[in-house]
Amino acid sequence: MNETSSVGIVTPRVARFEQALALRCGASLPGFKLVYETYGELNRERSNAVLVCHALSGSHHVAGQYADDPDNVGWWDNLIGPGKPLDTDKFFVIGVNNLGGCYGSTGPLSTNPATGRRWGADFPFVTVEDWVDSHARLADQLGIERFAAVVGGSLGGMQAMNWAIQYPDRIGHALVIASAPKLTAQNIAFNEVARQAILKDPDFHGGHYYEHGVVPARGLAQARMVGHITYLSDDSMDRKFGRKLRHGKPIYSYDVEFEVESYLRYQGEKFAGFFDANTYLLTTRALDYYDPAAGHGGDLTRALSAAEAEFLVVSFSTDWRFAPSRSKEIVGALLHGDKRVSYAEIDCAAGHDSFLLDVPLYHGVLRAYFDNIRV
Amino acid sequence: MAYQRYDYEVIASWIQQGERVLDLGCGDGSLLKYLQETRQVRGYGVENEPERVVASIANGICVLQLDLEQGLAGIDDNAFDHVIMSLSLQAMRNTQGILAEMLRVGREAVVSFPNFAYWRHRQAIINGHMPVSESLPHQWYNTPNVRFFTIADFESLCAQEGIVIREGLAFDDGRLVLDEPNFMASVALYRLGRNSACAEEG
């Protein structure tokens, strides 16, 4: 086994962009900032950069810890570090908070220069394509002409895939993990239930809750509860909670009876304590809108025709949010287009969230793949 | 293994430079890697054993983790010049199905398999035991093989399925066997085509 360690103490940085960014929704952002972190060293040839794209609730804090908050460990710390599958002794790894986010990049919490107030619900809709454009600006600023790889899970995988579509000559490898080429009606339906919970919360105030000194915490918590169900598998929930009763026997009440309820409520409330509801709305919409094949008559192969990157597509056996069959759609389109692609289907009981876990075969696949990337 | 080298060399001799190749049951990807190095082929390996998928990725080949028993749905007709299955056909249940799929997605199929009628195997049976040999290295209780067939059986199946045998070679311990291959050869390799394609080529 390789010796692995943490990237250690990390510090987020801010990149500012003066030039306006035209968005797919028709609006334009008059300058913006992106918060990001980096791990490892950019080599002299500037050929070893890897961009990590985050999913719905992720951030730029991908690995390591903060000096003043050592418990705040990056969300993909098990993957990234010296000797780890995404080895920071070899690669220069970048994590970035997407536009519309709530971790410091320009988003609903930022001040709208036109009004002097927080954007709130007026923040323009951002899409996966817009995010990729903004990442490219960050790459420009960091002097990175071409990424050795762009990697992401779930919504992050969609960004990796679109990197290969939008900037074919600026990406060597696209790692698309636990992802899908577009959402199904069922996926959108779950997002809509989550959004309605937020939109109907009396504390939402049309998305301008900041000015009222409140947050739609109940709606956001409920949204997270719905989302959380879709991240786990039936099996893993059953193994974790079964029908365990909090009081050992029914007390005939609508308070927490079953342990799974306690867990979901805890997850929901915790999430509502730090995440922004407007960001949640925006991000679920970005998921809904994502459909790179739509502009090509529904033909994903044609959508991917410009891609020059090599692809690694990974799915998880019990993921029902983005099931293996969804990953196989991507693989099929790449095969049809004569692209270089590898595909692994990892046996893991943890559902969609599997992509965040340290599953030996999964990390074995990623390690083998990253080891073969020449920089 | 010397046993693998001649298998690889024969297969490589049937492949032209720069062909598109699909290698079913690609193991650790070493055959496809060999063909990439010696024939500059482009292509994919297919493997369903997770550790072998990792090994194939480590070998730098494109590998797809798929269950071959499910066929090759999603792969277009005639997408490949050659579809190879090296020493794996005997480990598949859906023998007819996979042969048909190979000749659907490939212009030609290349198949190699251990010959269960090899004289040493026959001798083992006469002595009352299931054969264990270089080409059949497993015990009966842990073998991955599920179909037990001979060179004669395979050729009968090809005739029955309308599969054209373009070339067939048989080996014993890496040496070409010309006489009585069904008795003298431990491994057979075939280059197969479709009936219609054969007619086209006249």
Side-chain angles (χ1 to χ4, degrees), chain A residues 87-131:
Chain A
D87 190 343
T88 49
D89 288 336
K90 175 181 178 182
F91 294 107
F92 177 64
V93 181
I94 302 167
V96 58
N97 184 215
N98 281 332
L99 277 177
C102 55
Y103 291 106
S105 291
T106 299
L109 290 160
S110 312
T111 303
N112 178 353
T115 63
R117 297 160 61 202
R118 284 182 166 191
W119 280 99
D122 298 334
F123 193 82
F125 283 92
V126 281
T127 64
V128 166
E129 289 83 354
D130 298 328
W131 286 333

mmCIF file of all heavy atoms in Angstrom, chain A residues 87-131:
data_model
loop_
_atom_site.group_PDB
_atom_site.id
_atom_site.type_symbol
_atom_site.label_atom_id
_atom_site.label_comp_id
_atom_site.label_asym_id
_atom_site.label_seq_id
_atom_site.Cartn_x
_atom_site.Cartn_y
_atom_site.Cartn_z
ATOM 1 N N ASP A 87 -2.976 12.131 -6.848
ATOM 2 C CA ASP A 87 -1.757 12.344 -6.062
ATOM 3 C C ASP A 87 -1.234 13.773 -6.251
ATOM 4 O O ASP A 87 -0.859 14.167 -7.353
ATOM 5 C CB ASP A 87 -0.712 11.322 -6.534
ATOM 6 C CG ASP A 87 0.507 11.281 -5.631
ATOM 7 O OD1 ASP A 87 0.705 12.225 -4.842
ATOM 8 O OD2 ASP A 87 1.252 10.288 -5.719
ATOM 9 N N THR A 88 -1.201 14.509 -5.163
ATOM 10 C CA THR A 88 -0.755 15.906 -5.248
ATOM 11 C C THR A 88 0.772 16.022 -5.358
ATOM 12 O O THR A 88 1.289 17.114 -5.520
ATOM 13 C CB THR A 88 -1.255 16.719 -4.044
ATOM 14 O OG1 THR A 88 -0.957 15.999 -2.840
ATOM 15 C CG2 THR A 88 -2.752 16.946 -4.140
ATOM 16 N N ASP A 89 1.480 14.875 -5.247
ATOM 17 C CA ASP A 89 2.916 14.911 -5.563
ATOM 18 C C ASP A 89 3.120 14.978 -7.076
ATOM 19 O O ASP A 89 4.179 15.366 -7.557
ATOM 20 C CB ASP A 89 3.628 13.662 -5.019
ATOM 21 C CG ASP A 89 3.736 13.697 -3.498
ATOM 22 O OD1 ASP A 89 3.691 14.813 -2.935
ATOM 23 O OD2 ASP A 89 3.837 12.616 -2.885
ATOM 24 N N LYS A 90 2.093 14.570 -7.823
ATOM 25 C CA LYS A 90 2.174 14.569 -9.287
ATOM 26 C C LYS A 90 1.336 15.703 -9.890
ATOM 27 O O LYS A 90 1.750 16.350 -10.848
ATOM 28 C CB LYS A 90 1.687 13.215 -9.816
ATOM 29 C CG LYS A 90 1.594 13.114 -11.330
ATOM 30 C CD LYS A 90 1.085 11.725 -11.754
ATOM 31 C CE LYS A 90 0.938 11.620 -13.262
ATOM 32 N NZ LYS A 90 0.414 10.307 -13.694
ATOM 33 N N PHE A 91 0.162 15.899 -9.334
ATOM 34 C CA PHE A 91 -0.793 16.831 -9.940
ATOM 35 C C PHE A 91 -0.955 18.119 -9.131
ATOM 36 O O PHE A 91 -0.767 18.133 -7.911
ATOM 37 C CB PHE A 91 -2.170 16.170 -10.076
ATOM 38 C CG PHE A 91 -2.210 15.025 -11.050
ATOM 39 C CD1 PHE A 91 -2.299 13.713 -10.608
ATOM 40 C CD2 PHE A 91 -2.149 15.267 -12.423
ATOM 41 C CE1 PHE A 91 -2.343 12.660 -11.508
ATOM 42 C CE2 PHE A 91 -2.192 14.216 -13.328
ATOM 43 C CZ PHE A 91 -2.289 12.908 -12.871
ATOM 44 N N PHE A 92 -1.313 19.153 -9.829
ATOM 45 C CA PHE A 92 -1.718 20.425 -9.230
ATOM 46 C C PHE A 92 -3.245 20.448 -9.289
ATOM 47 O O PHE A 92 -3.829 20.539 -10.369
ATOM 48 C CB PHE A 92 -1.124 21.575 -10.051
ATOM 49 C CG PHE A 92 -1.527 22.952 -9.578
ATOM 50 C CD1 PHE A 92 -1.165 23.417 -8.326
ATOM 51 C CD2 PHE A 92 -2.239 23.802 -10.423
ATOM 52 C CE1 PHE A 92 -1.513 24.700 -7.911
ATOM 53 C CE2 PHE A 92 -2.593 25.085 -10.021
ATOM 54 C CZ PHE A 92 -2.227 25.528 -8.761
ATOM 55 N N VAL A 93 -3.866 20.300 -8.137
ATOM 56 C CA VAL A 93 -5.319 20.093 -8.082
ATOM 57 C C VAL A 93 -6.015 21.386 -7.667
ATOM 58 O O VAL A 93 -5.573 22.068 -6.733
ATOM 59 C CB VAL A 93 -5.664 18.949 -7.102
ATOM 60 C CG1 VAL A 93 -7.174 18.718 -7.053
ATOM 61 C CG2 VAL A 93 -4.942 17.669 -7.503
ATOM 62 N N ILE A 94 -7.092 21.687 -8.377
ATOM 63 C CA ILE A 94 -7.836 22.916 -8.105
ATOM 64 C C ILE A 94 -9.286 22.573 -7.761
ATOM 65 O O ILE A 94 -9.947 21.836 -8.499
ATOM 66 C CB ILE A 94 -7.837 23.837 -9.347
ATOM 67 C CG1 ILE A 94 -6.395 24.163 -9.761
ATOM 68 C CG2 ILE A 94 -8.614 25.126 -9.080
ATOM 69 C CD1 ILE A 94 -6.306 24.793 -11.139
ATOM 70 N N GLY A 95 -9.757 23.123 -6.661
ATOM 71 C CA GLY A 95 -11.174 23.056 -6.332
ATOM 72 C C GLY A 95 -11.736 24.463 -6.448
ATOM 73 O O GLY A 95 -11.096 25.421 -6.040
ATOM 74 N N VAL A 96 -12.934 24.581 -7.014
ATOM 75 C CA VAL A 96 -13.506 25.918 -7.205
ATOM 76 C C VAL A 96 -14.981 25.899 -6.807
ATOM 77 O O VAL A 96 -15.686 24.918 -7.048
ATOM 78 C CB VAL A 96 -13.328 26.401 -8.666
ATOM 79 C CG1 VAL A 96 -13.969 25.428 -9.654
ATOM 80 C CG2 VAL A 96 -13.874 27.805 -8.857
ATOM 81 N N ASN A 97 -15.412 26.960 -6.150
ATOM 82 C CA ASN A 97 -16.840 27.110 -5.829
ATOM 83 C C ASN A 97 -17.522 27.736 -7.039
ATOM 84 O O ASN A 97 -17.086 28.767 -7.553
ATOM 85 C CB ASN A 97 -16.996 27.999 -4.586
ATOM 86 C CG ASN A 97 -18.455 28.115 -4.139
ATOM 87 O OD1 ASN A 97 -18.866 29.166 -3.657
ATOM 88 N ND2 ASN A 97 -19.236 27.065 -4.296
ATOM 89 N N ASN A 98 -18.595 27.088 -7.486
ATOM 90 C CA ASN A 98 -19.251 27.537 -8.715
ATOM 91 C C ASN A 98 -19.989 28.860 -8.533
ATOM 92 O O ASN A 98 -20.409 29.207 -7.423
ATOM 93 C CB ASN A 98 -20.231 26.481 -9.200
ATOM 94 C CG ASN A 98 -19.529 25.352 -9.930
ATOM 95 O OD1 ASN A 98 -18.457 25.563 -10.516
ATOM 96 N ND2 ASN A 98 -20.100 24.174 -9.894
ATOM 97 N N LEU A 99 -20.164 29.554 -9.627
ATOM 98 C CA LEU A 99 -20.994 30.763 -9.646
ATOM 99 C C LEU A 99 -22.395 30.417 -9.148
ATOM 100 O O LEU A 99 -22.939 29.360 -9.495
ATOM 101 C CB LEU A 99 -21.129 31.283 -11.082
ATOM 102 C CG LEU A 99 -19.997 32.140 -11.622
ATOM 103 C CD1 LEU A 99 -20.300 32.492 -13.080
ATOM 104 C CD2 LEU A 99 -19.812 33.390 -10.780
ATOM 105 N N GLY A 100 -22.957 31.323 -8.358
ATOM 106 C CA GLY A 100 -24.266 31.045 -7.789
ATOM 107 C C GLY A 100 -24.155 30.307 -6.468
ATOM 108 O O GLY A 100 -25.149 30.030 -5.817
ATOM 109 N N GLY A 101 -22.908 29.985 -6.087
ATOM 110 C CA GLY A 101 -22.671 29.243 -4.854
ATOM 111 C C GLY A 101 -22.792 30.134 -3.624
ATOM 112 O O GLY A 101 -23.030 31.349 -3.719
ATOM 113 N N CYS A 102 -22.626 29.502 -2.484
ATOM 114 C CA CYS A 102 -22.770 30.241 -1.236
ATOM 115 C C CYS A 102 -21.538 30.103 -0.351
ATOM 116 O O CYS A 102 -21.608 30.252 0.858
ATOM 117 C CB CYS A 102 -24.021 29.801 -0.496
ATOM 118 S SG CYS A 102 -24.119 28.030 -0.190
ATOM 119 N N TYR A 103 -20.406 29.793 -0.991
ATOM 120 C CA TYR A 103 -19.173 29.654 -0.209
ATOM 121 C C TYR A 103 -18.160 30.746 -0.551
ATOM 122 O O TYR A 103 -16.977 30.585 -0.320
ATOM 123 C CB TYR A 103 -18.558 28.278 -0.436
ATOM 124 C CG TYR A 103 -19.375 27.156 0.149
ATOM 125 C CD1 TYR A 103 -20.117 26.315 -0.677
ATOM 126 C CD2 TYR A 103 -19.411 26.940 1.528
ATOM 127 C CE1 TYR A 103 -20.868 25.272 -0.135
ATOM 128 C CE2 TYR A 103 -20.160 25.902 2.068
ATOM 129 C CZ TYR A 103 -20.880 25.078 1.238
ATOM 130 O OH TYR A 103 -21.624 24.054 1.767
ATOM 131 N N GLY A 104 -18.624 31.833 -1.153
ATOM 132 C CA GLY A 104 -17.703 32.940 -1.402
ATOM 133 C C GLY A 104 -17.609 33.361 -2.849
ATOM 134 O O GLY A 104 -17.246 34.499 -3.133
ATOM 135 N N SER A 105 -17.930 32.458 -3.780
ATOM 136 C CA SER A 105 -17.983 32.880 -5.177
ATOM 137 C C SER A 105 -19.224 33.750 -5.374
ATOM 138 O O SER A 105 -20.167 33.686 -4.585
ATOM 139 C CB SER A 105 -18.041 31.668 -6.108
ATOM 140 O OG SER A 105 -16.804 30.973 -6.065
ATOM 141 N N THR A 106 -19.209 34.542 -6.446
ATOM 142 C CA THR A 106 -20.347 35.420 -6.704
ATOM 143 C C THR A 106 -21.632 34.590 -6.810
ATOM 144 O O THR A 106 -21.687 33.611 -7.553
ATOM 145 C CB THR A 106 -20.112 36.215 -8.000
ATOM 146 O OG1 THR A 106 -18.941 37.012 -7.809
ATOM 147 C CG2 THR A 106 -21.294 37.110 -8.311
ATOM 148 N N GLY A 107 -22.628 35.000 -6.044
ATOM 149 C CA GLY A 107 -23.879 34.257 -5.999
ATOM 150 C C GLY A 107 -24.970 35.095 -5.376
ATOM 151 O O GLY A 107 -24.812 36.314 -5.203
ATOM 152 N N PRO A 108 -26.072 34.469 -5.013
ATOM 153 C CA PRO A 108 -27.218 35.214 -4.458
ATOM 154 C C PRO A 108 -26.881 36.023 -3.207
ATOM 155 O O PRO A 108 -27.543 37.024 -2.924
ATOM 156 C CB PRO A 108 -28.222 34.105 -4.126
ATOM 157 C CG PRO A 108 -27.835 32.959 -4.989
ATOM 158 C CD PRO A 108 -26.358 33.034 -5.162
ATOM 159 N N LEU A 109 -25.840 35.588 -2.475
ATOM 160 C CA LEU A 109 -25.458 36.310 -1.257
ATOM 161 C C LEU A 109 -24.634 37.561 -1.568
ATOM 162 O O LEU A 109 -24.442 38.415 -0.711
ATOM 163 C CB LEU A 109 -24.640 35.403 -0.334
ATOM 164 C CG LEU A 109 -25.392 34.249 0.336
ATOM 165 C CD1 LEU A 109 -24.420 33.170 0.800
ATOM 166 C CD2 LEU A 109 -26.196 34.771 1.521
ATOM 167 N N SER A 110 -24.149 37.665 -2.815
ATOM 168 C CA SER A 110 -23.300 38.807 -3.196
ATOM 169 C C SER A 110 -24.171 40.042 -3.450
ATOM 170 O O SER A 110 -25.386 39.938 -3.657
ATOM 171 C CB SER A 110 -22.519 38.493 -4.474
ATOM 172 O OG SER A 110 -21.913 37.235 -4.387
ATOM 173 N N THR A 111 -23.508 41.183 -3.480
ATOM 174 C CA THR A 111 -24.215 42.435 -3.733
ATOM 175 C C THR A 111 -24.406 42.630 -5.238
ATOM 176 O O THR A 111 -23.458 42.492 -6.016
ATOM 177 C CB THR A 111 -23.414 43.615 -3.166
ATOM 178 O OG1 THR A 111 -23.200 43.367 -1.774
ATOM 179 C CG2 THR A 111 -24.164 44.928 -3.346
ATOM 180 N N ASN A 112 -25.633 42.916 -5.612
ATOM 181 C CA ASN A 112 -25.941 43.236 -7.004
ATOM 182 C C ASN A 112 -25.503 44.679 -7.259
ATOM 183 O O ASN A 112 -26.064 45.609 -6.668
ATOM 184 C CB ASN A 112 -27.452 43.074 -7.225
ATOM 185 C CG ASN A 112 -27.876 43.433 -8.645
ATOM 186 O OD1 ASN A 112 -27.067 43.928 -9.437
ATOM 187 N ND2 ASN A 112 -29.140 43.179 -8.951
ATOM 188 N N PRO A 113 -24.499 44.886 -8.120
ATOM 189 C CA PRO A 113 -23.974 46.244 -8.306
ATOM 190 C C PRO A 113 -25.039 47.220 -8.817
ATOM 191 O O PRO A 113 -24.934 48.431 -8.593
ATOM 192 C CB PRO A 113 -22.841 46.059 -9.325
ATOM 193 C CG PRO A 113 -23.066 44.739 -9.947
ATOM 194 C CD PRO A 113 -23.814 43.907 -8.961
ATOM 195 N N ALA A 114 -26.077 46.694 -9.464
ATOM 196 C CA ALA A 114 -27.110 47.565 -10.026
ATOM 197 C C ALA A 114 -28.024 48.126 -8.941
ATOM 198 O O ALA A 114 -28.615 49.202 -9.110
ATOM 199 C CB ALA A 114 -27.941 46.794 -11.054
ATOM 200 N N THR A 115 -28.163 47.412 -7.830
ATOM 201 C CA THR A 115 -29.118 47.845 -6.802
ATOM 202 C C THR A 115 -28.445 48.148 -5.473
ATOM 203 O O THR A 115 -29.040 48.803 -4.612
ATOM 204 C CB THR A 115 -30.164 46.737 -6.540
ATOM 205 O OG1 THR A 115 -29.480 45.583 -6.031
ATOM 206 C CG2 THR A 115 -30.908 46.370 -7.809
ATOM 207 N N GLY A 116 -27.234 47.683 -5.283
ATOM 208 C CA GLY A 116 -26.579 47.845 -3.991
ATOM 209 C C GLY A 116 -27.127 46.896 -2.935
ATOM 210 O O GLY A 116 -26.693 46.911 -1.785
ATOM 211 N N ARG A 117 -28.076 46.040 -3.332
ATOM 212 C CA ARG A 117 -28.628 45.047 -2.406
ATOM 213 C C ARG A 117 -28.104 43.668 -2.789
ATOM 214 O O ARG A 117 -27.581 43.466 -3.885
ATOM 215 C CB ARG A 117 -30.166 45.028 -2.507
ATOM 216 C CG ARG A 117 -30.840 46.317 -2.097
ATOM 217 C CD ARG A 117 -32.254 46.375 -2.686
ATOM 218 N NE ARG A 117 -33.110 45.275 -2.205
ATOM 219 C CZ ARG A 117 -34.198 44.853 -2.851
ATOM 220 N NH1 ARG A 117 -34.552 45.380 -4.000
ATOM 221 N NH2 ARG A 117 -34.923 43.863 -2.348
ATOM 222 N N ARG A 118 -28.335 42.725 -1.903
ATOM 223 C CA ARG A 118 -27.952 41.357 -2.239
ATOM 224 C C ARG A 118 -28.793 40.867 -3.414
ATOM 225 O O ARG A 118 -29.968 41.203 -3.531
ATOM 226 C CB ARG A 118 -28.157 40.448 -1.025
ATOM 227 C CG ARG A 118 -27.054 40.638 0.004
ATOM 228 C CD ARG A 118 -27.231 39.710 1.183
ATOM 229 N NE ARG A 118 -26.007 39.677 1.972
ATOM 230 C CZ ARG A 118 -25.764 38.804 2.944
ATOM 231 N NH1 ARG A 118 -26.669 37.904 3.253
ATOM 232 N NH2 ARG A 118 -24.638 38.837 3.600
ATOM 233 N N TRP A 119 -28.151 40.055 -4.250
ATOM 234 C CA TRP A 119 -28.870 39.538 -5.417
ATOM 235 C C TRP A 119 -30.126 38.774 -5.008
ATOM 236 O O TRP A 119 -31.190 38.943 -5.596
ATOM 237 C CB TRP A 119 -27.978 38.567 -6.197
ATOM 238 C CG TRP A 119 -26.962 39.175 -7.098
ATOM 239 C CD1 TRP A 119 -25.644 39.356 -6.832
ATOM 240 C CD2 TRP A 119 -27.161 39.634 -8.439
ATOM 241 N NE1 TRP A 119 -24.999 39.892 -7.913
ATOM 242 C CE2 TRP A 119 -25.911 40.069 -8.929
ATOM 243 C CE3 TRP A 119 -28.281 39.707 -9.285
ATOM 244 C CZ2 TRP A 119 -25.743 40.576 -10.218
ATOM 245 C CZ3 TRP A 119 -28.107 40.210 -10.573
ATOM 246 C CH2 TRP A 119 -26.852 40.651 -11.023
ATOM 247 N N GLY A 120 -29.976 37.897 -4.032
ATOM 248 C CA GLY A 120 -31.101 37.044 -3.649
ATOM 249 C C GLY A 120 -31.634 36.283 -4.853
ATOM 250 O O GLY A 120 -30.869 35.792 -5.687
ATOM 251 N N ALA A 121 -32.964 36.246 -4.948
ATOM 252 C CA ALA A 121 -33.592 35.483 -6.032
ATOM 253 C C ALA A 121 -33.397 36.138 -7.395
ATOM 254 O O ALA A 121 -33.729 35.530 -8.422
ATOM 255 C CB ALA A 121 -35.082 35.321 -5.748
ATOM 256 N N ASP A 122 -32.857 37.371 -7.422
ATOM 257 C CA ASP A 122 -32.621 38.024 -8.715
ATOM 258 C C ASP A 122 -31.326 37.556 -9.365
ATOM 259 O O ASP A 122 -31.025 37.960 -10.496
ATOM 260 C CB ASP A 122 -32.568 39.548 -8.540
ATOM 261 C CG ASP A 122 -33.883 40.100 -8.021
ATOM 262 O OD1 ASP A 122 -34.929 39.452 -8.265
ATOM 263 O OD2 ASP A 122 -33.866 41.156 -7.354
ATOM 264 N N PHE A 123 -30.558 36.752 -8.647
ATOM 265 C CA PHE A 123 -29.321 36.282 -9.264
ATOM 266 C C PHE A 123 -29.675 35.491 -10.521
ATOM 267 O O PHE A 123 -30.565 34.638 -10.496
ATOM 268 C CB PHE A 123 -28.517 35.408 -8.295
ATOM 269 C CG PHE A 123 -27.114 35.166 -8.759
ATOM 270 C CD1 PHE A 123 -26.126 36.120 -8.528
ATOM 271 C CD2 PHE A 123 -26.772 34.014 -9.457
ATOM 272 C CE1 PHE A 123 -24.819 35.916 -8.979
ATOM 273 C CE2 PHE A 123 -25.478 33.808 -9.912
ATOM 274 C CZ PHE A 123 -24.491 34.767 -9.669
ATOM 275 N N PRO A 124 -29.002 35.781 -11.634
ATOM 276 C CA PRO A 124 -29.407 35.112 -12.887
ATOM 277 C C PRO A 124 -29.199 33.596 -12.831
ATOM 278 O O PRO A 124 -28.331 33.110 -12.114
ATOM 279 C CB PRO A 124 -28.496 35.754 -13.942
ATOM 280 C CG PRO A 124 -27.370 36.362 -13.172
ATOM 281 C CD PRO A 124 -27.896 36.708 -11.819
ATOM 282 N N PHE A 125 -30.027 32.897 -13.601
ATOM 283 C CA PHE A 125 -29.872 31.446 -13.697
ATOM 284 C C PHE A 125 -28.512 31.124 -14.302
ATOM 285 O O PHE A 125 -28.119 31.725 -15.302
ATOM 286 C CB PHE A 125 -30.982 30.852 -14.572
ATOM 287 C CG PHE A 125 -32.299 30.766 -13.850
ATOM 288 C CD1 PHE A 125 -33.223 31.805 -13.919
ATOM 289 C CD2 PHE A 125 -32.599 29.646 -13.083
ATOM 290 C CE1 PHE A 125 -34.431 31.719 -13.237
ATOM 291 C CE2 PHE A 125 -33.809 29.566 -12.404
ATOM 292 C CZ PHE A 125 -34.735 30.600 -12.471
ATOM 293 N N VAL A 126 -27.813 30.198 -13.674
ATOM 294 C CA VAL A 126 -26.527 29.754 -14.219
ATOM 295 C C VAL A 126 -26.656 28.286 -14.615
ATOM 296 O O VAL A 126 -27.385 27.518 -13.975
ATOM 297 C CB VAL A 126 -25.376 29.929 -13.210
ATOM 298 C CG1 VAL A 126 -24.912 31.371 -13.175
ATOM 299 C CG2 VAL A 126 -25.772 29.461 -11.816
ATOM 300 N N THR A 127 -25.957 27.923 -15.664
ATOM 301 C CA THR A 127 -26.026 26.547 -16.170
ATOM 302 C C THR A 127 -24.644 25.886 -16.077
ATOM 303 O O THR A 127 -23.642 26.553 -15.800
ATOM 304 C CB THR A 127 -26.459 26.523 -17.647
ATOM 305 O OG1 THR A 127 -25.432 27.179 -18.426
ATOM 306 C CG2 THR A 127 -27.791 27.243 -17.860
ATOM 307 N N VAL A 128 -24.624 24.603 -16.314
ATOM 308 C CA VAL A 128 -23.362 23.858 -16.336
ATOM 309 C C VAL A 128 -22.407 24.516 -17.342
ATOM 310 O O VAL A 128 -21.222 24.685 -17.074
ATOM 311 C CB VAL A 128 -23.619 22.378 -16.692
ATOM 312 C CG1 VAL A 128 -22.320 21.661 -17.048
ATOM 313 C CG2 VAL A 128 -24.326 21.672 -15.535
ATOM 314 N N GLU A 129 -22.945 24.919 -18.487
ATOM 315 C CA GLU A 129 -22.121 25.544 -19.521
ATOM 316 C C GLU A 129 -21.486 26.834 -18.994
ATOM 317 O O GLU A 129 -20.314 27.118 -19.255
ATOM 318 C CB GLU A 129 -22.966 25.859 -20.760
ATOM 319 C CG GLU A 129 -23.408 24.633 -21.565
ATOM 320 C CD GLU A 129 -24.661 23.959 -20.988
ATOM 321 O OE1 GLU A 129 -25.138 24.364 -19.905
ATOM 322 O OE2 GLU A 129 -25.145 23.007 -21.628
ATOM 323 N N ASP A 130 -22.292 27.628 -18.260
ATOM 324 C CA ASP A 130 -21.770 28.874 -17.693
ATOM 325 C C ASP A 130 -20.653 28.590 -16.692
ATOM 326 O O ASP A 130 -19.643 29.294 -16.645
ATOM 327 C CB ASP A 130 -22.884 29.648 -16.976
ATOM 328 C CG ASP A 130 -24.006 30.056 -17.915
ATOM 329 O OD1 ASP A 130 -23.720 30.314 -19.107
ATOM 330 O OD2 ASP A 130 -25.171 30.114 -17.460
ATOM 331 N N TRP A 131 -20.863 27.574 -15.880
ATOM 332 C CA TRP A 131 -19.832 27.216 -14.893
ATOM 333 C C TRP A 131 -18.532 26.880 -15.597
ATOM 334 O O TRP A 131 -17.456 27.309 -15.193
ATOM 335 C CB TRP A 131 -20.289 26.040 -14.037
ATOM 336 C CG TRP A 131 -21.327 26.408 -13.022
ATOM 337 C CD1 TRP A 131 -21.507 27.636 -12.440
ATOM 338 C CD2 TRP A 131 -22.327 25.540 -12.458
ATOM 339 N NE1 TRP A 131 -22.552 27.587 -11.550
ATOM 340 C CE2 TRP A 131 -23.074 26.319 -11.545
ATOM 341 C CE3 TRP A 131 -22.646 24.203 -12.632
ATOM 342 C CZ2 TRP A 131 -24.133 25.779 -10.799
ATOM 343 C CZ3 TRP A 131 -23.695 23.673 -11.898
ATOM 344 C CH2 TRP A 131 -24.429 24.453 -10.998
#
